[in-house]
Amino acid sequence: MPLVLDPAAQDLLFREARTANTFTSEPVTEEQVKAIYELVKYGPTAFNQTPLRVVLVRSAEARERLLPLMSEGNRAKTGTAPLVAILAADHEFHEELPRLLPHFPQAKDVFFGERTVREQSAGLNAALQAAYFILGVRAAGLAAGPMTGYDAAGVQKEFLDDDHTPLMIVNIGNPGEDAWFPRSPRLEFDEVITTV
Amino acid sequence: MPLVLDPAAQDLLFREARTANTFTSEPVTEEQVKAIYELVKYGPTAFNQTPLRVVLVRSAEARERLLPLMSEGNRAKTGTAPLVAILAADHEFHEELPRLLPHFPQAKDVFFGERTVREQSAGLNAALQAAYFILGVRAAGLAAGPMTGYDAAGVQKEFLDDDHTPLMIVNIGNPGEDAWFPRSPRLEFDEVITTV
């Protein structure tokens, strides 16, 4: 077999895992979230930057503030998911670079002195980290329901600040009844990958 | 244990895997690349869109065109990696949406009629897919060396077109001698994750 990853792990992370639209009431514990982070924090990024920030919406008060900002089609599932996480990009991530990249601390200023450069880099690398996070949720045996349908400016104003922009909102929990649609098609290998 | 993913799989994908800077001469086969794609194509994206495109640089002629476009610090490793992949975002991904999202084919026009909206969506979702691809390389027992240091306009002109922008270039192979630096630090849980 050309893959060395265990087939059960392939299923857990990719083949059997699905984006969940309904959830059971079983809670997602702090211990689970910590284990997810301690795994996915090792996912690679450019210059070892870490622009991803996560806001866990746990209180009823915070959820009440979030729900009106969700697209109508996302409101019910976000209202009932055991845990909701706002994933955001920190555009001031360069402040931590001297600590995160000890063999090249100058990167902070040499490469990331300009805010527009940082915003572009944070967008790409926080998205990579968001993908690692989604797979980490699956690695914990949980289902993720990532969503981009929400009032981004409203979420930023209510939960973040001028230096943090939301990337996506992820419902997390154990899948409930009729949790997903049938699997939709994917593009064929030759439609995506070309050789030169 | 709060994670259900097998510890060996955790190591393979996250804990032991590292960004490689040197490679052995062992080739990366077409069978391996196909197995990687057939696994990671299931990674979730918004509206099941598939903006990621991959150009495998296999011929000596193509590699010669690529090398001068790499940053000086990336040139040697890109010159010797068994396989080099250009990962790009397709800004016309919406054309495939009626096929990829059969229960909501209108998404193509309702959500993605505007090019600027598509560019933003392609940037986020192709980055998610790039992260799945990197982990897929690791799932094949190979090391990935993703890089953002290259002449993006030059790579687009030489290998892509106006509808495709490069996201990163990934060296792929088996790690060689002194393939990586010591592991650099990561942010602590409380620096990344807050609860409201």
Side-chain angles (χ1 to χ4, degrees):
Chain A
M1 270 296 292
L3 294 185
V4 304
L5 182 68
D6 182 71
Q10 296 177 30
D11 288 344
L12 181 71
L13 298 180
F14 288 104
R15 290 194 213 279
E16 300 290 327
R18 300 293 310 282
T19 292
N21 297 310
T22 71
F23 297 91
T24 71
S25 59
E26 194 176 345
V28 176
T29 67
E30 197 67 2
E31 187 192 16
Q32 286 175 306
V33 181
K34 283 190 171 156
I36 291 166
Y37 179 71
E38 293 303 323
L39 180 68
V40 303
K41 72 180 183 184
Y42 292 114
T45 61
F47 294 93
N48 200 32
Q49 66 187 267
T50 307
L52 182 71
R53 294 293 178 275
V54 180
V55 179
L56 300 178
V57 180
R58 284 211 180 269
S59 71
E61 172 273 322
R63 180 134 11 182
E64 284 309 309
R65 284 193 287 135
L66 177 60
L67 288 182
L69 301 170
M70 302 304 298
S71 303
E72 206 174 312
N74 288 331
R75 209 164 285 154
K77 51 193 172 188
T78 302
T80 54
L83 181 61
V84 180
I86 300 168
L87 272 52
D90 179 0
H91 300 300
E92 298 297 301
F93 68 85
H94 67 314
E95 296 293 348
E96 293 132 8
L97 272 191
R99 178 159 54 108
L100 297 178
L101 201 70
H103 63 279
F104 184 35
Q106 307 90 319
K108 175 191 165 186
D109 301 310
V110 173
F111 286 105
F112 299 111
E114 299 284 340
R115 171 82 174 207
T116 51
V117 172
R118 291 202 298 276
E119 286 181 350
Q120 190 175 16
S121 189
L124 172 62
N125 289 280
L128 297 179
Q129 293 191 287
Y132 304 143
F133 182 85
I134 290 168
L135 295 184
V137 168
R138 292 173 167 189
L142 298 165
M147 301 169 293
T148 52
Y150 55 85
D151 171 356
V155 168
Q156 182 169 12
K157 184 164 181 289
E158 277 291 326
F159 293 95
L160 303 166
D161 61 28
D162 287 348
D163 290 334
H164 297 79
T165 50
L167 280 181
M168 65 180 66
I169 295 177
V170 185
N171 298 321
I172 304 172
N174 287 282
E177 275 185 51
D178 296 324
W180 37 67
F181 298 106
R183 174 75 87 183
S184 291
R186 295 299 193 275
L187 296 183
E188 301 296 327
F189 179 87
D190 291 339
E191 296 178 286
V192 171
I193 299 185
T194 55
T195 301
V196 294
Chain B
M1 271 295 293
L3 294 185
V4 304
L5 182 68
D6 181 70
Q10 297 177 30
D11 287 344
L12 181 71
L13 298 180
F14 287 104
R15 290 194 213 279
E16 301 290 328
R18 300 293 309 283
T19 292
N21 297 311
T22 72
F23 298 91
T24 71
S25 59
E26 194 176 345
V28 176
T29 67
E30 197 68 2
E31 187 192 16
Q32 286 175 306
V33 180
K34 282 190 172 155
I36 291 166
Y37 179 71
E38 293 303 323
L39 179 67
V40 303
K41 72 181 185 183
Y42 292 114
T45 60
F47 295 94
N48 200 31
Q49 66 188 265
T50 307
L52 182 70
R53 294 293 179 275
V54 180
V55 179
L56 301 177
V57 179
R58 283 211 182 269
S59 70
E61 173 273 321
R63 178 125 24 171
E64 286 307 310
R65 283 193 288 134
L66 178 60
L67 287 184
L69 301 170
M70 302 304 297
S71 303
E72 208 173 310
N74 288 331
R75 209 164 286 155
K77 52 193 173 188
T78 302
T80 53
L83 182 60
V84 180
I86 300 168
L87 272 54
D90 179 0
H91 300 300
E92 298 298 303
F93 68 86
H94 67 313
E95 295 293 346
E96 293 133 8
L97 272 191
R99 178 157 57 107
L100 298 177
L101 202 71
H103 63 279
F104 184 36
Q106 307 91 318
K108 175 192 166 187
D109 301 309
V110 173
F111 286 104
F112 299 110
E114 299 284 339
R115 170 86 173 203
T116 51
V117 172
R118 292 202 297 277
E119 286 181 350
Q120 190 176 18
S121 190
L124 172 64
N125 288 281
L128 297 179
Q129 292 192 287
Y132 305 143
F133 182 84
I134 290 168
L135 295 184
V137 168
R138 294 172 167 191
L142 297 165
M147 301 167 294
T148 53
Y150 55 86
D151 170 357
V155 168
Q156 182 169 13
K157 184 166 181 289
E158 276 292 326
F159 294 95
L160 304 165
D161 62 27
D162 287 348
D163 291 334
H164 297 79
T165 51
L167 279 182
M168 66 181 67
I169 296 177
V170 185
N171 298 321
I172 305 172
N174 287 281
E177 276 185 49
D178 295 323
W180 38 68
F181 297 107
R183 173 78 86 186
S184 291
R186 297 298 195 272
L187 295 182
E188 300 296 327
F189 179 87
D190 291 340
E191 295 177 286
V192 172
I193 299 186
T194 55
T195 301
V196 295

